[in-house]
Amino acid sequence: MNPLYARISQSIDINRNAFAPLLEASSLSAILAPDEAIILEGDTVRSMFVIESGWAIRYRILNDGRRQILNVLLPGDCFGIRSILKSEADHNISAVTDMQFRSLNVEAFVDIVKKDDKLTSAFWWVALQEEAIFREHIIRVGARTATERLVHLLLELNQRVSIVEGGVSDFLRLPVPQLFFADALSLSVVHISRTFTKLKLMGVIEMAPGGIKIMDREKMVALSGFDDRYLNPTNFKLIA
Amino acid sequence: MNPLYARISQSIDINRNAFAPLLEASSLSAILAPDEAIILEGDTVRSMFVIESGWAIRYRILNDGRRQILNVLLPGDCFGIRSILKSEADHNISAVTDMQFRSLNVEAFVDIVKKDDKLTSAFWWVALQEEAIFREHIIRVGARTATERLVHLLLELNQRVSIVEGGVSDFLRLPVPQLFFADALSLSVVHISRTFTKLKLMGVIEMAPGGIKIMDREKMVALSGFDDRYLNPTNFKLIA
DNA sequence: CGTATTCTTGACCGTGCTCAAGTCCCGTGG
DNA sequence: CCACGGGACTTGAGCACGGTCAAGAATACG
């Protein structure tokens, strides 16, 4: 649960030991390969999950076979917490890279979290951040152009990865094909390719092995209207 | 809190009396006029709200002045619950019709809800349904055509209103201008108008004073891929 | 080294946008 | 009761962003 702790401790003042009971009660999965499913629509889920390494996605398959990615799940991200109440999943979750997660029976999870106000806050924070990411995604696909969408998502990924890895890097690992961006941003693969080319020509990014290099962050921020406040919520007050 | 109870009791077996403490501790607002703001981006919110009558919206204003509606809030819908943890709003909430709400200090809310497992479940359900609506909205604006989007939203509104009013009606009150649909569905007003006209010509809806009449629900469902399961979650298990 | 997948580029097309003019509706005041 | 004015809606014409189809290049992998 290191990545989870890394994320949460950025925003909430909490001791690493608080996570010990969760760590103890949970178990580590095998390593999944790309495209392996974890949760399928209609599944009855009775666990919560934390990603330890690799990327996964929440997505739905539409009638016409198209895949719409709802959210990217990075190390430290949680899913399945909804199963506290609702037991039938209404969307799928699959690995997109080699990936490993921890899981924990949701009853046990609730028991542990209820005993510790700090942990309660921590998981509220996790839920609220994911909601904020959902809202931002609505704006991204709803109100932005292709270029804006791609740049905005790249900056979000860069930021989210940085938080877990403990520092902003201008190299962004992208262990996914361009189809991933197409399905996440509601664009065609062809147009994703064109947009990457355009960004290279503009000099704001460069291709690097296994990812991209951010060459002109300021320009990217201006270009996409990226405002990272939704990822770095501040002003907390613990109510418990 | 009648509309809230009407919604929740559809899915959770809970007694009306359970809401009495909330009712007692909360207070009813004045009647707001269209476009009056309730919460603005950056506001520090310390209350939770329940809509008693009228419609409101969650929305953001983008750099270029465009308004993106994230969600429609109908009677019985809640907002501000996020302020349990995060105190700065990252989007706006305003009335779109004459509107009235109840509000309750969030500390008091938490105190009351914690004491009653059924209430805890009830508000989990509220949060999860709203999340499901957000996800569906991503798919709507991301993956559907103009006609599909409009029909899908009309069916969602019809369904949500029905749940509160205790029965499905083929007349759908639409107390909002077409600009509302434009900003919610990421389309231009002009195109909304064209799409309404097209739907009339197809014979699936008819204009009626103050709203529309649904003439061919089956066709609308087929047309938009509407699947109401996200609004009527079943299969609950209370963990508390 | 050969095959498959992913990426790139070109040409053409269509959905939905913009701009603009016109119509309808309703409230207000003469 | 009618004249006026403003907002909302409608309709037309032209345009642009991004989609589709298709062929070729690059990269990965067995």
Side-chain angles (χ1 to χ4, degrees):
Chain A
M1 295 207 163
N2 274 357
L4 177 63
Y5 177 73
R7 271 177 78 210
I8 292 179
S9 61
Q10 288 270 330
S11 298
I12 301 227
D13 177 34
I14 190 168
N15 193 291
R16 189 179 223 103
N17 299 334
F19 290 88
L22 290 172
L23 196 63
E24 215 171 300
S26 65
S27 58
L28 198 59
S29 76
I31 295 175
L32 301 196
D35 288 327
E36 272 193 74
I38 305 169
I39 296 176
L40 291 177
E41 221 176 307
D43 280 3
T44 296
V45 182
R46 301 275 28 155
S47 299
M48 67 80 67
F49 305 81
V50 183
I51 298 188
E52 287 294 311
S53 66
W55 291 16
I57 49 171
R58 293 184 191 275
Y59 67 100
R60 280 260 294 274
I61 301 292
L62 310 182
N63 301 331
D64 60 7
R66 280 202 44 197
R67 176 180 73 164
Q68 173 71 48
I69 295 176
L70 297 165
N71 197 1
V72 194
L73 299 166
L74 306 180
D77 285 337
C78 304
F79 56 98
I81 296 187
R82 295 164 181 73
S83 66
I84 285 177
L85 196 81
K86 184 184 183 182
S87 49
E88 262 190 43
D90 69 352
H91 59 275
N92 311 282
I93 296 184
S94 294
V96 282
T97 68
D98 285 344
M99 202 213 81
Q100 203 170 17
F101 60 83
R102 279 195 170 276
S103 63
L104 172 56
N105 173 286
V106 78
E107 277 93 350
F109 170 71
V110 170
D111 275 350
I112 293 169
V113 170
K114 272 177 96 172
K115 283 183 193 137
D116 184 336
D117 288 349
K118 286 263 182 175
L119 271 188
T120 304
S121 285
F123 283 97
W124 264 105
W125 181 86
V126 164
L128 295 184
Q129 196 208 29
E130 190 177 14
E131 263 199 45
I133 291 172
F134 272 128
R135 280 195 294 272
E136 206 63 35
H137 197 52
I138 290 176
I139 291 167
R140 198 154 46 202
V141 297
R144 300 196 197 274
T145 65
T147 308
E148 289 166 355
R149 287 185 214 183
L150 182 54
V151 172
H152 196 279
L153 179 55
L154 291 173
L155 289 174
E156 178 185 309
L157 290 172
N158 181 243
Q159 178 91 8
R160 286 171 64 186
V161 167
S162 302
I163 289 172
V164 172
E165 295 186 346
V168 178
S169 161
D170 283 341
F171 172 72
L172 171 60
R173 226 174 82 70
L174 294 177
V176 289
Q178 293 190 357
L179 182 61
F180 163 87
F181 290 99
D183 291 345
L185 300 176
S186 301
L187 295 166
S188 67
V189 194
V190 174
H191 205 70
I192 293 290
S193 169
R194 286 192 223 275
T195 308
F196 266 119
T197 304
K198 185 180 154 194
L199 293 176
K200 277 180 271 177
L201 290 176
M202 290 172 67
V204 299
I205 66 167
E206 263 179 23
M207 289 315 192
I212 61 165
K213 238 188 117 187
I214 293 174
M215 304 304 289
D216 189 341
R217 177 171 250 112
E218 293 231 341
K219 207 165 175 180
M220 287 175 72
V221 169
L223 212 73
S224 63
F226 183 74
D227 178 346
D228 67 3
R229 276 179 300 175
Y230 72 104
L231 295 173
N232 300 311
T234 48
N235 284 27
F236 289 108
K237 185 175 172 191
L238 181 62
I239 294 196
Chain B
M1 293 205 163
N2 272 358
L4 177 61
Y5 177 73
R7 272 177 75 209
I8 292 179
S9 61
Q10 288 271 330
S11 298
I12 300 224
D13 178 33
I14 189 167
N15 192 291
R16 190 180 221 103
N17 299 334
F19 289 88
L22 291 172
L23 196 63
E24 215 172 303
S26 65
S27 58
L28 196 60
S29 76
I31 295 176
L32 301 195
D35 289 330
E36 272 193 73
I38 304 168
I39 296 176
L40 291 177
E41 220 175 308
D43 280 1
T44 296
V45 182
R46 300 274 36 165
S47 299
M48 66 81 67
F49 304 81
V50 183
I51 298 188
E52 287 294 311
S53 66
W55 291 17
I57 50 171
R58 293 183 190 276
Y59 67 100
R60 281 260 294 274
I61 302 291
L62 309 183
N63 301 332
D64 59 8
R66 280 204 42 198
R67 175 180 75 165
Q68 172 71 48
I69 295 177
L70 297 165
N71 196 1
V72 195
L73 299 166
L74 306 180
D77 284 338
C78 304
F79 57 97
I81 296 187
R82 294 165 181 74
S83 66
I84 285 176
L85 196 81
K86 185 184 184 184
S87 50
E88 262 191 43
D90 67 353
H91 60 276
N92 311 282
I93 296 185
S94 295
V96 281
T97 68
D98 285 344
M99 203 212 84
Q100 204 171 16
F101 59 83
R102 279 196 170 275
S103 64
L104 171 57
N105 172 285
V106 76
E107 278 93 350
F109 170 72
V110 170
D111 276 349
I112 293 170
V113 169
K114 272 177 94 172
K115 284 186 192 134
D116 183 337
D117 288 349
K118 287 262 182 172
L119 271 187
T120 304
S121 284
F123 284 96
W124 264 105
W125 180 85
V126 165
L128 295 184
Q129 196 209 28
E130 189 176 14
E131 262 199 47
I133 292 172
F134 272 128
R135 281 195 295 273
E136 205 63 35
H137 197 52
I138 290 176
I139 291 167
R140 197 153 47 200
V141 297
R144 302 198 196 273
T145 65
T147 308
E148 290 166 354
R149 284 184 216 184
L150 181 54
V151 172
H152 196 279
L153 180 55
L154 291 174
L155 290 174
E156 178 185 308
L157 290 172
N158 181 242
Q159 178 91 6
R160 285 170 65 187
V161 167
S162 303
I163 289 172
V164 172
E165 296 186 345
V168 178
S169 161
D170 283 341
F171 172 72
L172 172 59
R173 224 174 83 69
L174 293 177
V176 289
Q178 293 190 0
L179 182 62
F180 164 88
F181 290 98
D183 291 346
L185 299 176
S186 300
L187 295 167
S188 66
V189 194
V190 174
H191 206 67
I192 293 290
S193 170
R194 287 191 223 275
T195 308
F196 266 118
T197 305
K198 186 179 154 195
L199 293 176
K200 279 180 270 177
L201 289 176
M202 291 173 68
V204 300
I205 66 168
E206 263 178 23
M207 288 317 189
I212 60 164
K213 240 189 114 186
I214 292 175
M215 303 305 289
D216 191 341
R217 178 172 249 111
E218 293 230 341
K219 208 165 173 181
M220 286 174 74
V221 169
L223 212 75
S224 65
F226 183 74
D227 178 346
D228 67 4
R229 277 179 299 176
Y230 72 103
L231 295 174
N232 301 311
T234 49
N235 284 27
F236 287 107
K237 187 175 169 191
L238 182 64
I239 296 193

